Amino acid sequence: LYDDRPVSAGVKFQDADLLGMPWRATIGARSLAHGAVEVRLRADGTTESLPLQEAADALRTRLAPQGGG
């Protein structure tokens, strides 16, 4: 889900939590200045900064179904 509504980041984050989004990737001016994407796992609230060039592959790996199903 890409949220490009003209509302504050806090409103967007709250709505993502209400919708139950398991991961949140935030790309903003601050993270871009550092060449990174901020990624937050909703389940435990951990946040990490991923290099911009590696973020898509890292998220794809994390979102891939686990196990032999």
Side-chain angles (χ1 to χ4, degrees), residues 28-44:
R30 189 177 351 168
S31 61
L32 281 177
H34 293 101
V37 174
E38 181 181 288
V39 177
R40 180 178 180 272
L41 176 58
R42 182 174 175 264
D44 62 10

Side-chain angles (χ1 to χ4, degrees), residues 2-51:
Y2 177 74
D3 192 345
D4 62 351
R5 296 176 296 159
V7 296
S8 71
V11 169
K12 293 177 185 185
F13 297 160
Q14 181 179 9
D15 288 349
D17 284 341
L18 288 172
L19 289 170
M21 299 297 169
W23 292 91
R24 182 179 75 212
T26 305
I27 304 170
R30 189 177 351 168
S31 61
L32 281 177
H34 293 101
V37 174
E38 181 181 288
V39 177
R40 180 178 180 272
L41 176 58
R42 182 174 175 264
D44 62 10
T46 57
T47 302
E48 64 180 307
S49 185
L50 300 174

